[in-house]
């Protein structure tokens, strides 16, 4: 993952990165990230390493097409995560010409419910427009992600039908974890009953629905819901097969991990060396066997939950299994 910018054109209530239109940190120069890719390419097949461009909002970069084309010409397939606000037909065509392989678009409700989450009156219409463009592009692989909260929980069936009408084949739903702006907003946190309602909705539709595939995100271990609400059993791939280069050059794992589990910096360290010789906290998680995890019978399946649910001191922010049971 490449956190190419911290600038964003929205002001989302649940932003884990706390991004703004004018970031205090400049966008990372393309040339700096390409040096990382050159390092990776010298050691492994670039066709088997997928680059996800994220932010902030990647479309804030005017040179995004240049970035994508350079990544593609080095042999790396690439995709992006976007809120869709700045996507136009012309921009989409230019991104496809630059080698865009996949995209993920966020949609957190219908009409005002989405706009409430995103802090922009045009956000819903523009996100729907972006999704429609992708749905009309033959063989383009994309999905939609929805952050489920108290406000949109009851409209998931209606939202599902809208997505199907737009050509969406893959839909990921997940609760909002208490990090960044979301930590202080009780409207964004589902109760135990509401969380089970979400899981039952996904489980039911995975069994009955053939027009669209629903998945719970890799949010955490889900007990008896494992095997029922997503295509694979829980595993946190942060630092296992997922790495990231953050805006300041930090080498980390999944960009959802907002606590300080950084492993190095591209301006000081060799990325390939860091990838092979560090990341111990991600790859051996016995250190998580403390607190409520110390005597938990499920630890061998859960391994302490997702890394994004640990604070700087290693404390567990939230236990998904506890919420269910």
């Amino acid at each position: 993952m490449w956190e190419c910018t911290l600038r964003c054109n929205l002001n989302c209530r649940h932003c884990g990165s706390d991004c703004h239109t004018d970031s205090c940190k400049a966008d990372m120069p393309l040339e700096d990230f390409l040096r990382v890719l050159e390092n990776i390419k010298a050691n492994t097949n670039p066709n088997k390493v997928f680059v996800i461009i994220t932010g902030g909002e990647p479309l804030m970069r005017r040179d995004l097409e240049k970035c994508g084309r350079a990544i593609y010409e080095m042999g790396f397939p690439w995709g992006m995560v976007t809120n869709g606000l700045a996507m136009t037909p012309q921009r989409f065509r230019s991104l496809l010409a630059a080698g865009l392989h996949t995209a993920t678009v966020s949609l957190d409700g219908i009409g005002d419910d989405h706009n409430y989450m995103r802090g922009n009156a045009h956000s819903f219409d523009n996100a729907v427009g972006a999704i429609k463009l992708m749905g009309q592009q033959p063989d383009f692989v994309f999905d939609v992600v929805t952050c489920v909260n108290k406000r949109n929980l009851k409209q998931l069936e209606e939202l599902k039908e809208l997505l199907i009408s737009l050509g969406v084949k893959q839909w990921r739903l997940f609760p909002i974890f208490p990090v960044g702006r979301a930590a202080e907003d009780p409207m964004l946190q589902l109760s135990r009953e509401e969380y089970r309602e979400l899981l039952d909705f996904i489980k039911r539709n995975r069994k009955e629905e053939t027009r669209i595939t629903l998945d719970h995100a890799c949010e955490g271990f889900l007990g008896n819901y494992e095997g029922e609400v997503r295509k694979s059993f829980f595993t946190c791939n942060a630092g296992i097969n997922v790495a990231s280069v953050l805006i300041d050059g930090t080498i980390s794992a999944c960009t959802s991990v907002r606590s300080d589990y950084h492993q190095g910096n591209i301006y000081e360290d060799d990325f390939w060396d860091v990838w092979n010789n560090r990341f111990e906290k991600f790859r051996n998680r016995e250190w998580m066997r403390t607190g409520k995890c110390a005597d938990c019978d499920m630890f061998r399946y859960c391994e302490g939950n997702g890394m994004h649910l640990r604070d700087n001191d290693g404390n567990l922010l939230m236990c998904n299994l506890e919420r269910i049971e």
Side-chain angles (χ1 to χ4, degrees):
M1 295 180 174
W2 178 30
E3 189 180 61
C4 70
T5 182
L6 281 185
R7 292 181 295 136
C8 188
N9 46 14
L10 291 178
N11 184 32
C12 302
R13 299 175 68 92
H14 59 307
C15 181
S17 304
D18 199 21
C19 299
H20 300 276
T21 302
D22 296 315
S23 173
C24 61
K25 295 181 179 178
D27 296 353
M28 177 178 286
L30 170 61
E31 293 73 20
D32 294 357
F33 183 64
L34 292 183
R35 282 195 290 272
V36 175
L37 295 187
E38 288 170 357
N39 182 228
I40 295 173
K41 185 176 180 178
N43 290 281
T44 193
N45 183 353
N47 298 157
K48 296 185 178 181
V49 179
F50 196 86
V51 176
I52 301 173
I53 300 180
T54 184
E57 169 54 46
L59 291 175
M60 295 289 283
R61 287 188 69 129
R62 294 184 178 180
D63 67 343
L64 183 59
E65 287 84 348
K66 178 183 177 182
C67 297
R69 172 53 62 183
I71 293 169
Y72 181 71
E73 289 179 347
M74 289 184 68
F76 295 88
W78 70 278
M80 63 182 292
V81 179
T82 178
N83 59 42
L85 184 68
M87 186 69 80
T88 64
Q90 296 79 9
R91 194 84 197 266
F92 185 52
R93 287 194 296 268
S94 67
L95 289 167
L96 290 173
L100 179 67
H101 275 62
T102 70
T104 291
V105 184
S106 299
L107 193 69
D108 293 332
I110 297 175
D112 289 341
D113 288 313
H114 174 84
N115 294 339
Y116 159 83
M117 287 288 289
R118 299 288 166 170
N120 186 296
H122 304 289
S123 180
F124 174 75
D125 290 340
N126 290 26
V128 166
I131 294 168
K132 187 179 297 184
L133 285 171
M134 296 174 189
Q136 293 171 346
Q137 180 66 29
D139 301 322
F140 185 72
V141 179
F142 73 103
D143 69 351
V144 169
V145 296
T146 296
C147 298
V148 181
N149 56 80
K150 292 181 180 295
R151 183 160 172 159
N152 65 12
L153 178 63
K154 299 301 182 182
Q155 61 176 218
L156 293 181
E157 185 66 35
E158 185 181 358
L159 184 56
K160 181 190 76 174
E161 293 301 325
L162 171 64
L163 295 179
I164 292 171
S165 72
L166 295 173
V168 177
K169 302 298 182 184
Q170 302 286 334
W171 185 23
R172 282 182 291 151
L173 304 96
F174 49 89
I176 300 168
F177 56 94
V179 172
R181 299 176 193 166
E184 305 299 328
D185 193 336
M187 279 297 295
L188 303 185
Q189 305 302 319
L190 298 178
S191 67
R192 295 178 183 226
E193 293 75 16
E194 290 167 334
Y195 190 32
R196 285 196 296 270
E197 184 178 341
L198 166 62
L199 294 174
D200 288 336
F201 173 81
I202 299 173
K203 177 180 177 180
R204 181 174 65 254
N205 277 275
R206 284 184 63 83
K207 288 182 177 180
E208 302 172 358
E209 184 61 74
T210 59
R211 298 170 297 167
I212 188 172
T213 300
L214 280 68
D215 279 300
H216 189 285
C218 54
E219 177 64 21
F221 180 69
L222 301 173
N224 290 335
Y225 283 99
E226 289 293 333
E228 301 280 0
V229 295
R230 54 188 165 218
K231 57 188 175 184
S232 60
F233 288 91
F234 169 69
T235 182
C236 176
N237 286 313
I240 308 299
N241 59 17
V242 177
S244 66
V245 174
L246 304 183
I247 191 69
D248 60 356
T250 294
I251 301 170
S252 189
C254 172
T255 51
S256 291
V257 181
R258 306 313 304 183
S259 296
D260 186 2
Y261 291 100
H262 304 155
Q263 302 299 302
N265 192 289
I266 65 169
Y267 297 114
E268 301 171 359
D269 304 297
D270 179 273
F271 179 90
W272 194 252
D273 178 65
V274 171
W275 177 250
N276 282 282
N277 297 304
R278 302 188 193 177
F279 285 89
E280 178 66 16
K281 275 191 173 289
F282 293 89
R283 295 171 187 171
N284 181 358
R285 303 191 183 181
E286 280 298 312
W287 63 270
M288 291 186 177
R289 201 188 286 267
T290 59
K292 65 178 64 178
C293 297
D295 301 314
C296 180
D297 294 337
M298 295 292 107
F299 187 86
R300 58 178 173 156
Y301 305 112
C302 175
E303 292 192 316
N305 224 338
M307 286 290 292
H308 66 293
L309 295 176
R310 295 277 168 172
D311 66 16
N312 288 338
D313 298 318
N315 300 312
L316 185 62
L317 298 173
M318 183 179 73
C319 173
N320 300 74
L321 184 62
E322 186 177 61
R323 292 176 74 186
I324 296 167
E325 297 182 344

